[in-house]
């Protein structure tokens, strides 16, 4: 009986019951979406104050600009490395199993693609800078919130000690309060997960997934290989610890990411789990995880690479190895840059297809299974955040 008290076990049961409920009672499953929406909204409610407070306290806790530079460069470097490895893996797998028979794009239409503005470097850079910090906080633009928190932390190094202490105490208190609320919300996870999963299964229908089974299988295979082989190898190499012990301690966050399909909504859980179960210091978690939720996109990057190569095969366009390498570099660069824009992966997909000269209409074929795959790639995004956070923490302690 004690076994069923574990939250992780309850969540897995919630997922299984949700799948069954979605298949056998789809009409009811569609009606109860409110429960899942409330659960995700409660998690997202915590994100902005938590990110702001934790980045501020983490950076001021470091105590100097030199330390900030060192932890910042390590973090960005590791995030780029894991993203590049996931893209490379996707390219290799798609060359071994080149799925997708050519089909005509006649009659296919993907209306959403026309709503997306052409990509501009100017807009991308401007999306990082908060012109109105209250608007950034209210809209939940994570990258802008992080940038402002960094500036505030740097400014506080220049202030008198008594003012530093006031700000530090204030944000530490906000951080602790958010953690208490997070605990209450996390206890609702099994119910929230049941609701979210059953709704998606009822809405998507199993037959859609079966129709694109090859594509779904390849995406899932790449995501799983990266999660259970590549990331643990990186963790073992840099941190010199048993990667599977650590990933088992923090798996709650990856499961949560799978159910909510939102890195931001998972952030309160990730921050709680790495500190309480993964043995990561408050400062490392407070800086590396919020940044990761914004710029680390292993799952999204590998998924985009596979999707573009699949669409190239559907369109009957042969992409040379050189083309694929350029595609890989583009995906890695964009995954860091486009992070701050809404519906980032769709924006990236349209930008890349336009750049490679492939018709965006083919998105209509794969969009049917996007929600299911979104859950898997978000889970991988979060898993890579957990891995990088641990590495940065171990390197910092040395």
């Amino acid at each position: 009986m004690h076994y069923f008290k574990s939250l992780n076990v309850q969540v897995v049961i919630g997922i299984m019951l949700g799948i069954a409920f979605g298949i056998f009672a789809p009409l009811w499953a569609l009606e109860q979406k409110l429960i899942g929406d409330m659960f995700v909204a409660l998690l997202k409610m915590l994100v902005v104050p938590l990110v702001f407070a934790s980045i501020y306290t983490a950076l001021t806790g470091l105590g100097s600009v030199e330390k900030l530079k060192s932890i910042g460069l390590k973090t960005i470097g590791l995030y780029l490395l894991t993203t590049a490895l996931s893209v490379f893996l996707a390219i290799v797998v798609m060359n071994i199993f080149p799925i997708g028979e050519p089909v005509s794009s006649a009659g296919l239409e993907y209306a959403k693609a026309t709503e997306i503005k052409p990509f501009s470097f100017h807009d991308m850079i401007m999306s990082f800078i908060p012109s109105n910090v209250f608007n950034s906080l209210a809209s939940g633009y994570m990258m802008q919130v992080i940038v402002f928190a960094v500036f505030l932390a740097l400014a506080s190094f220049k202030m008198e000690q008594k003012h530093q202490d006031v700000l530090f105490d204030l944000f530490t208190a906000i951080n602790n309060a958010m953690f208490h609320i997070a605990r209450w919300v996390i206890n609702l996870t099994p119910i929230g997960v049941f609701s979210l999963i059953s709704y998606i299964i009822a809405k998507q229908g199993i037959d859609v997934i079966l129709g694109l089974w090859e594509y779904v299988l390849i995406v899932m295979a790449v995501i799983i290989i990266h999660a259970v082989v590549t990331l643990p190898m990186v963790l073992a190499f840099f941190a010199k610890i048993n990667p599977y012990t650590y990933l088992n301690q923090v798996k709650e966050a990856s499961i949560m990411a799978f159910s909510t399909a939102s890195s931001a909504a998972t952030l309160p859980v990730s921050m709680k789990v790495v500190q309480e179960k993964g043995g990561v210091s408050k400062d490392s978690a407070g800086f590396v995880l919020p940044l990761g939720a914004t710029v680390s996109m292993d799952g999204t990057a590998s998924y985009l690479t596979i999707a573009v190569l699949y669409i190239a095969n559907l369109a009957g366009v042969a992409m040379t190895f050189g083309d694929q390498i350029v595609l890989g570099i583009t995906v890695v660069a964009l995954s860091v840059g486009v992070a701050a824009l809404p519906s980032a992966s769709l924006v990236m997909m349209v930008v890349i297809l336009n750049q490679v000269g492939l018709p965006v209409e083919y998105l209509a074929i794969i969009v049917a299974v996007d929600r299911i795959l979104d859950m898997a790639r978000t889970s991988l995004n979060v898993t890579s955040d957990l891995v990088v956070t641990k590495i940065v923490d171990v390197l910092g302690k040395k």
Side-chain angles (χ1 to χ4, degrees):
M1 210 52 219
H2 172 72
Y3 183 65
F4 288 106
K5 283 184 181 164
S6 148
L7 188 69
N8 286 337
V9 175
Q10 291 174 13
V11 170
V12 172
I13 293 170
I15 291 175
M16 290 172 171
L17 290 175
I19 292 171
F21 188 60
I23 293 172
F24 298 113
L27 294 175
W28 286 5
L30 289 172
E31 288 300 318
Q32 55 75 57
K33 181 168 182 262
L34 175 67
I35 300 167
D37 287 349
M38 283 166 60
F39 172 65
V40 174
L42 284 170
L43 281 170
K44 285 187 171 171
M45 167 182 86
L46 303 172
V47 171
V48 172
L50 184 66
V51 166
F52 196 92
S54 57
I55 288 244
Y56 179 84
T57 51
L59 295 186
T60 43
L62 290 172
S64 73
V65 179
E66 281 67 44
K67 277 191 178 168
L68 164 61
K69 210 154 70 177
S70 132
I71 190 175
L73 289 171
K74 277 184 202 135
T75 304
I76 298 288
L78 284 162
Y79 278 142
L80 283 173
L81 172 70
T82 59
T83 307
L85 287 171
S86 75
V87 168
F88 178 69
L89 176 66
I91 291 175
V92 170
V93 171
M94 276 298 284
N95 279 289
I96 298 172
F97 304 103
I99 55 164
E101 296 297 315
V103 291
S104 159
S105 64
L108 289 177
E109 192 196 7
Y110 190 63
K112 255 193 187 165
T114 54
E115 296 164 20
I116 287 176
K117 288 194 305 197
F119 177 73
S120 91
F121 185 71
H122 173 271
D123 289 354
M124 183 181 97
I125 297 299
M126 289 307 292
S127 72
F128 286 20
I129 302 168
S131 56
N132 175 344
V133 70
F134 294 103
N135 181 47
S136 307
L137 291 164
S139 310
Y141 293 142
M142 295 295 287
M143 201 64 188
Q144 298 182 0
V145 171
I146 290 171
V147 167
F148 185 73
V150 170
F151 273 115
L152 190 64
L154 291 174
S156 67
F157 288 146
K158 304 287 181 200
M159 298 192 307
E160 284 179 53
Q161 192 59 46
K162 61 176 185 181
H163 295 317
Q164 280 193 37
D165 293 344
V166 169
L167 274 180
F168 188 76
D169 288 347
L170 169 70
F171 284 118
T172 305
I174 291 174
N175 210 354
N176 293 343
M178 290 305 121
F179 267 115
H180 282 295
I181 303 175
R183 280 203 186 89
W184 303 334
V185 178
I186 288 165
N187 287 333
L188 304 172
T189 307
I191 301 163
V193 166
F194 168 80
S195 168
L196 292 164
I197 300 275
S198 62
Y199 174 77
I200 288 158
I201 294 291
K203 188 155 170 44
Q204 300 265 280
I206 289 295
D207 45 347
V208 173
I209 299 161
L210 297 178
L212 283 165
W213 68 272
E214 284 181 324
Y215 173 65
V216 173
L217 204 63
I218 293 279
V219 174
M220 288 297 199
V222 167
I223 285 173
I224 290 166
I225 294 167
H226 189 65
V228 301
V229 181
T230 321
L231 285 175
M233 275 165 59
V234 172
L235 181 55
F237 178 78
F238 284 105
K240 308 283 187 282
I241 57 167
N242 181 334
Y244 298 106
T245 310
Y246 169 70
L247 286 170
N248 188 42
Q249 288 163 342
V250 296
K251 63 179 179 288
E252 196 178 316
S254 301
I255 296 172
M256 177 69 91
F258 180 78
S259 345
T260 59
S262 164
S263 296
T266 310
L267 195 55
V269 184
S270 306
M271 292 185 69
K272 177 175 165 290
V273 167
V274 294
Q275 289 174 55
E276 291 176 5
K277 297 180 181 169
V280 171
S281 73
K282 183 170 175 265
D283 286 348
S284 299
F287 177 72
V288 184
L289 281 173
L291 198 60
T294 318
V295 302
S296 163
M297 298 270 172
D298 291 26
T300 307
S302 56
Y303 162 77
L304 284 172
T305 309
I306 295 167
V308 172
L309 294 174
Y310 181 62
I311 287 174
N313 292 343
L314 293 178
V317 175
M319 288 186 77
T320 65
F321 193 65
D323 294 339
Q324 295 182 30
I325 296 298
V326 172
L327 167 68
I329 294 167
T330 311
V331 169
V332 174
L334 275 178
S335 64
V336 176
V338 180
L341 303 173
S343 61
S345 55
L346 179 65
V347 175
M348 285 168 69
M349 183 80 88
V350 174
V351 170
I352 293 165
L353 289 175
N354 286 332
Q355 196 181 347
V356 187
L358 290 170
V360 285
E361 289 78 33
Y362 282 105
L363 284 175
I365 293 178
I366 60 170
V367 78
V369 289
D370 189 65
R371 187 69 175 83
I372 300 284
L373 296 178
D374 192 13
M375 293 155 68
R377 62 182 186 250
T378 305
S379 186
L380 182 59
N381 289 344
V382 168
T383 305
S384 95
D385 298 350
L386 300 169
V387 165
V388 170
T389 305
K390 184 66 173 176
I391 296 172
V392 171
D393 190 54
V394 170
L395 296 178
K397 283 172 183 164
K398 283 178 183 166

